[in-house]
Amino acid sequence: MFNGFFGRSTHNIDEKGRITLPASFRETLGENPYILSGFDGNLSIMTSSRFEQLRDKIYSQNMADINSRRLRRLIFSTATQFEFDKNGRFIIPQPLRELAKLDGTVLVMGVGKDIELWNPELYSTQEETSEGTASAADLVSNFDLTF
C-alpha cells in the first residue's frame, strides 16, 4: 500500500549528473518513474502510475484552450522516464538540471504523492519568504484539514 513520500535529505550530484534517492523512496517509486519540471523552480519525481493519471487528465483537457496547450508543453516537454542503476543512482537530464539550477548538492523532499528536487539555496530563499508560525497558520487556513 502506498503511504507516500515523507522527509527531506541532501544528496550530491556526481560529475555525470547522477544522484541517489533514499532507499525507501526508490522502493516506493518502483520501475520506470518519471522526472519532470515542477511548478516552483524545482523538479518533480512521480511513480509511473501517477504520471499516467496526470497524462490522462491532461489528455482530457480541451486542445482549443490555450492554457491546456501551455500545460501540455510544460508537462510533456520536460517529462522523462528513468531507471536506477545497480548502485541506486539515476541521471537527471542536463536540461532539467539547468532548469532547476541543480549543481553539486540537491535537496530531496518527500511531499506526499511526489518527490521534489530543489537547489538548496533556492528552496531556502523560498522558505524565508513564507517563514514563521503566522505564515504556516495562514497557509493551513486555506484548506479544510479537519478529520
Side-chain angles (χ1 to χ4, degrees), residues 69-119:
R69 294 192 307 274
R70 288 178 179 155
L71 179 62
R72 286 173 187 247
R73 289 181 201 117
L74 172 71
I75 300 298
F76 299 142
S77 70
T78 66
T80 303
Q81 257 186 316
F82 66 89
E83 294 179 358
F84 293 101
D85 68 16
K86 64 183 180 205
N87 296 315
R89 301 170 300 192
F90 72 96
I91 296 174
I92 301 172
Q94 181 66 32
L96 291 179
R97 291 196 311 267
E98 291 173 3
L99 184 75
K101 298 176 176 50
L102 299 180
D103 185 29
T105 303
V106 176
L107 177 62
V108 177
M109 296 179 29
V111 292
K113 293 181 178 181
D114 302 317
I115 299 166
E116 291 183 346
L117 303 182
W118 283 88
N119 172 308

Side-chain angles (χ1 to χ4, degrees), residues 120-145:
E121 292 174 9
L122 293 178
Y123 184 76
S124 180
T125 300
Q126 184 175 43
E127 231 178 14
E128 287 171 8
T129 62
S130 61
E131 207 171 82
T133 56
S135 284
D138 288 343
L139 175 64
V140 171
S141 70
N142 290 308
F143 302 94
D144 179 9
L145 300 179

Side-chain angles (χ1 to χ4, degrees), residues 9-21:
S9 57
T10 56
H11 297 266
N12 292 320
I13 297 178
D14 70 13
E15 66 281 350
K16 295 181 181 177
R18 298 176 299 194
I19 188 172
T20 61
L21 295 178

